[in-house]
Amino acid sequence: MSLPSKVKIVEVGPRDGLQNEKENVPADVKIELVNRLTAAGFANIEAASFVSPKWIPQMATSREVMAGIVRKPGVIYSALTPNMQGFEAALAAGAGEVVIFGAASEAFSQRNINCSIAESITRFEPVAKAAKEHGLRLRASVSTAFGCPYQGEVPLESVAYVVARMRDLGCDEIDIADTIGVATPRKTQAVMQAAIGEFRIDGLSGHFHDTYGQALVNIYAALELGITIFHSSVAGLGGCPYAKGATGNVATEDVLYMMNGLGIETGVDLDAVVDAGAFISQFLGRKGASRVGNAILAKRAG
Ligand code: HMG
Ligand code: MG
């Protein structure tokens, strides 16, 4: 089966990665990270999250981060916006894309955003409308599409249902998220097929966490279906505050190494991402979680 010749990698480390850090990461460190990622060549960086600081304290500096980064023309800097309060803040901060985030499982929706799936869609309606009015890109994330830490199995119909509702809201892109990293390749294809049944394939993305070490092979399985957008996190930063034990997103360095090996164009410089990973890992005082990043650093030191 032929694979796509080009993919878009959305770097989510500054948001999905750092939101889970217990230690406060100051705004200037986040700004430096985003600037390094911009220089590495990403077309889309998830830089901020305008959510309740009581729920996610680490994202409380989002306004400063958005104000401090050096923006490269053409690069989309995205921000999470669960409601109108978040939208207004993202708009004022100059986000190029706002992200509404729901779930395919009721239990996770309640824990993560404190409302049912149906209520969340109602909450997203004004956000979607406002995004369109202001000419902002609108993206939606569908959490727990492959399994839920609270309810376990998530039926394919639930994924299809939420994707269809996000489509009806006018989303430009929809992320199918493996919040707790439990998917395997055939499961990935089944869930992606359910999403493809409801939304254009070139607007669907795979957002894989790597808890069970399956993320790369799941990305490959999604590539086989023709999915061309993937999310990843520099140095494999992250986890999910509402999914105990879940580790970070698949590491960007690992995804880039695989794409390079497959001859799939990403537009991103792997060496520059390794440097960005080393920078943030050094700040956090630990070894990065990217196997590729660590291998390249070891080789350089060698
Ligand atoms: P709520 O408590 O149900 O809402 O929160 P509320 O409207 O009753 O507001 C309560 C308080 O929050 C009020 O403050 C509001 O002002 C404040 P108080 O009067 O008590 O001082 N508030 C806000 N403050 C700042 N920005 C806002 C905002 N909205 C309300 N936008 C809410 C509902 C969704 C806001 C809350 O539950 C929340 O912020 N949850 C955090 C969810 C979150 O950020 N989760 C992590 C990101 S999702 C993720 O990581 C998954 C993803 O990566 C994909 C995957 O892997 O699955 C995307
Ligand atoms: Mg995530």
Side-chain angles (χ1 to χ4, degrees):
M1 197 181 286
S2 75
L3 302 178
S5 57
K6 194 177 168 188
V7 294
K8 176 171 86 167
I9 306 294
V10 180
E11 170 58 52
V12 299
R15 194 284 303 172
D16 203 347
L18 294 183
Q19 76 175 7
N20 206 41
E21 285 299 326
K22 302 275 176 294
E23 291 293 319
N24 177 49
V25 181
D28 61 336
V29 173
K30 293 175 184 166
I31 290 166
E32 168 78 18
L33 178 64
V34 174
N35 288 346
R36 282 171 175 262
L37 295 167
T38 297
F42 292 95
N44 193 168
I45 301 172
E46 205 167 88
S49 180
F50 293 100
V51 297
S52 163
K54 281 185 202 144
W55 289 59
I56 313 281
Q58 190 64 260
M59 290 289 109
T61 51
S62 287
R63 196 176 57 81
E64 285 162 78
V65 172
M66 291 295 278
I69 56 177
V70 179
R71 297 173 192 230
K72 185 160 123 192
V75 175
I76 299 168
Y77 298 92
S78 315
L80 264 57
T81 54
N83 52 20
M84 278 310 285
Q85 194 176 333
F87 177 82
E88 296 297 347
L91 182 68
E97 176 180 74
V98 293
V99 184
I100 50 179
F101 52 102
S105 105
E106 278 298 344
F108 191 81
S109 182
Q110 288 291 354
R111 303 273 181 124
N112 192 35
I113 51 174
N114 206 20
C115 64
S116 68
I117 294 173
E119 283 163 347
S120 74
I121 301 296
T122 307
R123 244 184 226 185
F124 298 148
E125 275 167 15
V127 178
K129 195 162 165 275
K132 297 283 151 188
E133 278 166 13
H134 290 276
L136 299 187
R137 265 187 125 249
L138 177 67
R139 171 149 69 81
S141 181
V142 180
S143 284
T144 58
F146 302 84
C148 172
Y150 309 112
Q151 79 176 45
E153 277 296 311
V154 174
L156 292 177
E157 300 75 57
S158 304
V159 177
Y161 173 82
V162 179
V163 169
R165 299 291 73 74
M166 297 300 199
R167 174 201 62 209
D168 296 345
L169 288 173
C171 287
D172 298 295
E173 215 164 286
I174 302 180
D175 315 329
I176 310 302
D178 188 8
T179 313
I180 51 171
V182 288
T184 47
R186 293 265 181 267
K187 173 83 173 181
T188 295
Q189 292 188 334
V191 172
M192 285 298 184
Q193 289 288 13
I196 291 166
E198 301 294 343
F199 196 64
R200 8 175 220 96
I201 192 166
D202 63 355
L204 286 172
S205 77
H207 176 110
F208 295 101
H209 284 257
D210 203 23
T211 317
Y212 287 82
Q214 307 291 300
L216 273 187
V217 75
N218 291 335
I219 289 175
Y220 192 87
L223 279 172
E224 283 190 327
L225 293 185
I227 300 289
T228 55
I229 311 171
F230 297 97
H231 293 193
S232 61
S233 181
V234 60
L237 291 173
C240 176
Y242 300 102
K244 205 162 182 275
T247 64
N249 299 84
V250 62
T252 306
E253 299 90 320
D254 298 7
V255 176
L256 291 174
Y257 183 84
M258 182 174 83
M259 295 298 175
N260 289 349
L262 290 168
I264 297 175
E265 197 184 320
T266 64
V268 182
D269 177 1
L270 172 57
D271 274 308
V273 179
V274 171
D275 291 337
F279 162 76
I280 192 66
S281 300
Q282 192 177 14
F283 173 81
L284 295 169
R286 60 170 191 252
K287 199 173 170 185
S290 166
R291 302 274 291 267
V292 168
N294 292 335
I296 291 176
L297 289 171
K299 200 172 167 196
R300 281 186 196 166

